[in-house]
Amino acid sequence: MGLKIIVVGAGIGGLTAALALRQAGHSVEIFEKSKFAKEVGAALGLTPNGSRVLATLGFSFERARAREITSWDIVDGVSLRLAKSMDFTGLSKQFGFSAYAVHRVDFHTELLRLAQQPGISGEEAVALHLSSAVVDCDPVEGWIQLADGTKHYADLIVGADGVHSVLRPLVTGSGDAPHSTGLSAFRFLVPTSTMCNDPALQDLMEWKTTGAATLADPQDALPQRHMMWYDCQDGEIQNFVGITASRDIPMGSDGIPDFNTAMLEDFHAYHPDLKHVIKIAGNVTCWPLSIHDPLTSWTKGKVVLVGDAAHPMLPFGGQGSNQAIEDAGALGYLFTAVDDVFKVSARLKMFEEVRINRASIIQTLSTQRAGKEKDVEEALKQYYAPGAKIPGSFPERNYDAFSHNVLQAAADVLATSKLEQEAPDSASTEAYILPQMTRDYLSNQMMSQAA
């Protein structure tokens, strides 16, 4: 008999955590505030460290239409001259898994498919509650409260409710919200066929490799400004992201914000072919980028934060989703076959030991685009042992990220930890007994009313 677990949020982090914990032998239900619980937006990158965890959950890269990334090119966005290229074709041999680009909707759909069917070993499907916004939570008693006033109890509550998490301040005891970086991300998708059939883009499409490209102006006064370009959905869609300073968006003649014009103004120095792509894009959006300083703790009582709720990141380096997946992998491993509620506190401490330093390193690096790793070297030192190698270049940063095996890290901590040999104190004992007594009371009340 496993634990009763509640996951708050049905995004990538929430669904992956639910799958990992369901596979670990627990009864899992998700409470999602939206009506459809569907990811929107553009594409994202899956790197070996994240793919390793997904593979253990039965994730189908084929169903998700994942596109292998064969290289990562650093390009002068003005001249289109190649500055540096990192060959990714050997990642599978080196790390066990390749790097992929996948559309968020395809990724989310595959996770949802897995959650709504029995697990690999016959575990029951994850219960998904839509239109169920969580407005309050008691980490000690172990309950969440929905907008309709109902309370739901659990032995473990996973806060996967994103960058504007409701659960974060209840865990940290601070009302500090993510702060603006002063940067925004333009995003759009263009069908590959549209670009191939455009005479003005034939040279550009012949130039483009099947890898990911970071395009930047070496003379730009704003060093963070750059574009990312890679394809997804089996190569049928081209994905573009443009990072630039936040600004007012001009209104078009139809009264709708003209994101195309704004992006063209911000990337006016770039190659004419790239500007032509922006002109013909029909679905340009713009999202402000926020970040939170690394947290020193992600847990309180029976609540643990994961994904953007614990470590919101900027898109530089493409590790945001991969770190949420690593969180899920660590939770699943550490809670495998745990059916004693008194072990929850110790396992959550182990989870923090596995994850906080690792995620804080990636979170700190996420503030810098490729080639700017040295700018955060001092900030990174607090997370490394004295004398340890600190990544100071983009290849080193990738190796540091890709080579990490979070499942092995969890196994190592579990093997060496003495936390579970410590007797629970009276406060923690009360924290676990009280919710069970409350649930028994409510159950008896319902039976009496029915009679």
Side-chain angles (χ1 to χ4, degrees):
M1 183 72 177
L3 303 175
K4 177 178 173 57
I5 298 177
I6 285 175
V7 177
V8 180
I12 288 172
L15 279 173
T16 312
L19 288 171
L21 289 164
R22 187 269 299 272
Q23 184 173 295
H26 307 294
S27 174
V28 183
E29 54 184 333
I30 301 175
F31 290 85
E32 161 62 37
K33 65 181 179 181
S34 74
K35 185 175 181 180
F36 298 108
K38 187 174 183 180
E39 284 283 332
V40 296
L44 56 88
L46 293 175
T47 50
N49 50 302
S51 298
R52 179 178 293 107
V53 175
L54 292 174
T56 67
L57 301 177
F59 184 88
S60 171
F61 294 88
E62 183 178 0
R63 281 180 178 270
R65 305 182 67 187
R67 174 77 158 175
E68 184 175 357
I69 299 174
T70 58
S71 65
W72 195 315
D73 302 327
I74 310 298
V75 178
D76 184 323
V78 179
S79 66
L80 295 185
R81 285 194 298 268
L82 180 66
K84 182 181 296 185
S85 181
M86 288 163 285
D87 184 4
F88 278 11
T89 56
L91 292 186
S92 181
K93 183 177 180 179
Q94 185 177 12
F95 302 116
F97 294 90
S98 300
Y100 300 95
V102 60
H103 194 287
R104 284 181 180 271
V105 173
D106 295 331
F107 188 20
H108 191 264
T109 298
E110 172 61 7
L111 292 176
L112 196 57
R113 181 188 71 84
L114 291 172
Q116 293 179 323
Q117 66 180 22
I120 296 174
S121 301
E123 302 94 344
E124 65 183 26
V126 174
L128 179 61
H129 307 280
L130 304 181
S131 301
S132 300
V134 173
V135 297
D136 198 6
C137 170
D138 189 313
V140 177
E141 288 198 18
W143 52 255
I144 60 168
Q145 182 174 336
L146 305 184
D148 63 8
T150 60
K151 288 184 178 180
H152 300 265
Y153 292 82
D155 301 310
L156 174 64
I157 298 170
V158 180
D161 52 342
V163 65
H164 301 295
S165 172
V166 172
L167 271 60
R168 185 194 298 115
L170 301 176
V171 170
T172 64
S174 170
D176 290 347
H179 55 269
S180 172
T181 61
L183 301 173
S184 293
F186 289 103
R187 300 180 185 273
F188 63 88
L189 302 167
V190 181
T192 303
S193 58
T194 298
M195 294 183 65
C196 287
N197 292 327
D198 189 327
L201 295 176
Q202 288 182 0
D203 289 344
L204 184 66
M205 294 305 288
E206 289 178 5
W207 166 87
K208 180 67 170 65
T209 70
T210 56
T214 298
L215 304 112
D217 177 2
Q219 306 303 318
D220 200 329
L222 180 67
Q224 295 94 337
R225 179 160 35 221
H226 69 282
M227 290 178 63
M228 278 298 304
W229 176 13
Y230 52 87
D231 56 54
C232 59
Q233 294 191 324
D234 295 329
E236 295 178 7
I237 297 293
Q238 302 293 319
N239 176 77
F240 292 86
V241 181
I243 308 296
T244 187
S246 298
R247 53 163 297 170
D248 293 331
I249 305 298
M251 302 299 290
S253 58
D254 54 4
I256 298 175
D258 189 348
F259 294 118
N260 296 67
T261 294
M263 189 173 181
L264 283 168
E265 290 173 353
D266 283 2
F267 290 88
H268 68 276
Y270 278 54
H271 193 278
D273 289 355
L274 294 174
K275 291 190 288 186
H276 183 72
V277 176
I278 298 171
K279 288 178 183 177
I280 67 172
N283 57 354
V284 180
T285 59
C286 188
W287 300 89
L289 299 177
S290 299
I291 196 168
H292 200 288
D293 294 333
L295 300 176
T296 57
S297 177
W298 299 355
T299 66
K300 181 178 181 180
K302 298 181 178 181
V303 177
V304 57
L305 303 175
V306 300
D308 284 349
H311 44 71
M313 301 184 185
L314 298 186
F316 308 159
Q319 280 295 312
S321 295
N322 290 283
Q323 290 309 298
I325 294 167
E326 284 192 20
D327 292 343
L331 276 179
Y333 193 99
L334 292 170
F335 278 88
T336 295
V338 173
D339 55 8
D340 184 348
V341 294
F342 294 109
K343 290 185 177 182
V344 171
S345 178
R347 294 297 171 101
L348 289 181
K349 289 178 182 178
M350 293 181 206
F351 174 75
E352 288 191 322
E353 187 176 346
V354 172
R355 292 297 302 142
I356 287 186
N357 260 26
R358 159 71 172 172
S360 296
I361 288 168
I362 303 295
Q363 189 178 9
T364 301
L365 282 166
S366 81
T367 63
Q368 305 299 316
R369 68 171 176 83
K372 297 293 182 179
E373 290 75 20
K374 284 287 186 181
D375 291 355
V376 291
E377 185 173 24
E378 286 300 315
L380 289 173
K381 286 182 178 179
Q382 62 183 304
Y383 305 115
Y384 285 89
K389 174 66 175 176
I390 297 175
S393 67
F394 196 54
E396 291 176 355
R397 170 183 182 172
N398 282 336
Y399 182 86
D400 204 46
F402 298 175
S403 63
H404 187 75
N405 185 335
V406 71
L407 304 178
Q408 185 60 55
D412 292 343
V413 167
L414 188 59
T416 59
S417 179
K418 296 181 180 179
L419 287 169
E420 290 186 350
Q421 275 65 56
E422 300 173 3
D425 57 30
S426 59
S428 63
T429 301
E430 181 181 359
Y432 288 113
I433 293 176
L434 181 59
Q436 182 61 55
M437 294 173 62
T438 306
R439 290 200 296 272
D440 291 344
Y441 171 77
L442 292 174
S443 177
N444 291 334
Q445 286 292 97
M446 292 175 64
M447 292 176 65
S448 298
Q449 292 174 4

